[in-house]
Amino acid sequence: MAFICSKGNLDMAYPALIVGNAALTEGVEVLIFFTFWGLDMINTQVNDKLKFTVSGNTAMHMPDLAKVRPGLEYKAIPQALGNLPGMTAYATRHMKEEMDKLGVPPVPEFLDLLAASGAHLYACKLSYDMAKMIEADLHPAVEGVITAADFVELAEGAQIVFI
């Protein structure tokens, strides 16, 4: 399986990591290509500070609201709340707490886990150059900075998932 990670939000970091890990446990080879804002996932300057926001997420709801009144857990959080000061910090903290309760490691640790299990992680050269990153910024599990064409060649025959 080959994943293309193009987003740097906390909630968009986990799908490739979780499904990639599941694929590895089934003996499937896994390649992950980090491009555009997805580079934040492998940038050691920011990958432990990824954020989650309510803004733009019309499906955002909170199961804990059932404690207030049954049925509220399925109601979407109003988009206007995402603009309140501190809401992104609150939503990020809440998501990290829920992931921790379920034993899901933080992004940097998850990258270590994937690499130790045999996943191949690559940074997109174009995005890397645009972001003016340096090699010291890359998570140690990243095998290299490659072009999109290089990734296409490596991923030949793979099921590709774009996130």
Side-chain angles (χ1 to χ4, degrees), residues 73-85:
E73 68 271 27
Y74 302 112
K75 298 286 184 188
I77 293 176
Q79 290 292 292
L81 288 180
N83 297 324
L84 292 175

Side-chain angles (χ1 to χ4, degrees), residues 39 42-44 127-135 137-138:
L39 281 178
I42 56 171
N43 183 339
T44 59
S127 300
Y128 177 89
D129 290 345
M130 285 176 53
K132 301 193 180 354
M133 288 179 67
I134 59 174
E135 194 169 329
D137 293 335
L138 290 174

Side-chain angles (χ1 to χ4, degrees), residues 2-4 31-33 122 146-155:
F3 296 89
I4 300 171
L31 309 167
I32 307 178
F33 187 66
Y122 302 100
I146 64 173
T147 67
D150 293 334
F151 180 73
V152 168
E153 187 176 320
L154 288 170

Side-chain angles (χ1 to χ4, degrees), residues 22-97:
L24 287 165
T25 63
E26 295 296 321
V28 176
E29 183 178 6
V30 171
L31 309 167
I32 307 178
F33 187 66
F34 301 89
T35 188
F36 289 94
W37 296 273
L39 281 178
D40 282 357
M41 293 172 62
I42 56 171
N43 183 339
T44 59
Q45 302 299 316
V46 296
N47 68 354
D48 62 339
K49 299 173 192 73
L50 301 181
K51 298 194 179 355
F52 173 63
T53 181
V54 172
S55 297
N57 187 348
T58 58
M60 175 64 187
H61 55 87
M62 295 178 60
D64 288 343
L65 289 178
K67 296 173 189 170
V68 176
R69 190 176 80 214
L72 283 181
E73 68 271 27
Y74 302 112
K75 298 286 184 188
I77 293 176
Q79 290 292 292
L81 288 180
N83 297 324
L84 292 175
M87 190 58 163
T88 296
Y90 168 77
T92 299
R93 184 175 59 252
H94 181 73
M95 181 174 178
K96 286 183 175 183
E97 288 170 355

Side-chain angles (χ1 to χ4, degrees), residues 9-29:
N9 291 348
L10 185 62
D11 59 320
M12 296 307 292
Y14 280 107
L17 304 179
I18 292 167
V19 177
N21 187 55
L24 287 165
T25 63
E26 295 296 321
V28 176
E29 183 178 6

